[in-house]
């Protein structure tokens, strides 16, 4: 079995004030995408399949990296429902406490749980990652990218959120001869 390579690329910083919950909201990037794309382009393979979240902070970057991009709504960030575009410090304390007690299972009012987001992101991987016949670049958000990296690396679910996934950077994974995956590098 030949080695496969996967680049998990997180969108650059967004034009949202610090402390605002913006998950599924379609917010703009803080700066033009050209500089981030130029930096990443040097680290990504030519001719790779590019899969992206359709939210514009990812779509703009993906289109700057390639003329051929496939968009998949399952790669969108978690839907924070009633919390979207609200300051975290204005959210009901009881809800924050429930979320902290069960990060994966708590369903955000009017939105989804982290487990819901993880299931749809993994379904996208199972469809696209399993069928990609070569290098694959996934341009998405911190949540879905951590899910993919965590599962592929065989980490316990509670460790997935600790995976470093800086904005405007990528995580490179490679498959081994046994079919398992290992982290190769993080590039910014």
């Amino acid at each position: 079995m030949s080695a496969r390579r996967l680049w998990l690329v997180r969108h650059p910083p967004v034009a949202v004030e610090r402390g605002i919950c913006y998950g599924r909201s379609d917010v703009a990037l803080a700066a033009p995408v050209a500089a981030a794309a130029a930096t990443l382009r040097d680290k990504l393979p030519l001719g790779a399949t590019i899969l992206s979240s359709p939210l514009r902070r990812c779509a703009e970057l993906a289109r700057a990296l390639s003329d051929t991009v496939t968009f998949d709504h399952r790669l969108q960030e978690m839907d924070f429902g009633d919390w979207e575009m609200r300051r975290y410090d204005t959210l009901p304390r009881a809800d924050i406490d429930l979320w902290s007690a069960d990060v994966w299972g708590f369903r955000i009012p009017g939105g989804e749980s982290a487990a819901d987001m993880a299931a749809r992101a993994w379904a996208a991987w199972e469809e696209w990652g399993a069928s990609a016949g070569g290098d694959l670049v996934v341009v998405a958000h911190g949540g879905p990218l951590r899910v993919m990296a965590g599962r592929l690396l065989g980490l316990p679910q509670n460790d997935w959120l600790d995976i470093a996934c800086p904005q405007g950077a990528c995580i490179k994974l490679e498959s081994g001869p046994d079919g398992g995956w290992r982290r190769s590098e993080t590039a910014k």
Side-chain angles (χ1 to χ4, degrees):
M1 171 183 257
S2 64
R4 296 180 55 214
R5 299 182 306 171
L6 169 66
W7 284 261
L8 301 174
V9 178
R10 188 170 180 196
H11 62 79
V14 296
V16 174
E17 181 183 329
R18 190 173 178 85
I20 300 288
C21 178
Y22 63 87
R24 181 80 61 97
S25 296
D26 200 9
V27 298
L29 291 171
V33 75
T39 299
L40 286 163
R41 200 175 293 114
D42 291 339
K43 296 167 181 20
L44 301 174
L46 291 174
T49 298
I50 305 236
L51 182 63
S52 178
S53 161
L55 295 181
R56 69 179 161 176
R57 58 192 183 261
C58 295
E60 287 178 15
L61 177 59
R63 286 186 185 113
L65 294 172
S66 174
D67 292 332
T68 307
V69 178
T70 299
F71 295 99
D72 190 320
H73 71 279
R74 296 172 295 183
L75 296 174
Q76 292 181 38
E77 185 58 279
M78 187 167 145
D79 183 350
F80 284 93
D82 296 347
W83 296 3
E84 290 282 337
M85 300 310 294
R86 290 182 55 194
R87 294 191 57 77
Y88 282 105
D89 60 11
T90 67
L91 300 176
R93 184 75 232 170
D95 284 352
I96 296 292
D97 291 343
L98 288 169
W99 186 34
S100 295
D102 185 8
V103 172
W104 293 99
F106 178 71
R107 183 173 308 282
I108 306 296
E112 66 184 338
S113 70
D116 295 334
M117 177 274 299
R120 66 177 161 72
W122 190 250
W125 166 259
E126 287 183 320
E127 178 178 341
W128 297 104
S131 66
D135 295 329
L136 177 63
V137 174
V138 177
V139 181
H141 313 270
L145 296 178
R146 288 181 176 103
V147 167
M148 287 182 190
R151 283 198 65 169
L152 290 171
L153 294 170
L155 300 175
Q157 188 177 46
N158 287 337
D159 293 347
W160 297 354
L161 297 178
D162 295 330
I163 296 171
C165 190
Q167 292 180 327
C170 66
I171 298 169
K172 182 181 174 188
L173 302 178
E174 292 184 72
S175 67
D178 63 353
W181 290 82
R182 66 179 177 84
R183 191 170 184 152
S184 176
E185 65 185 69
T186 300
K188 183 155 185 168

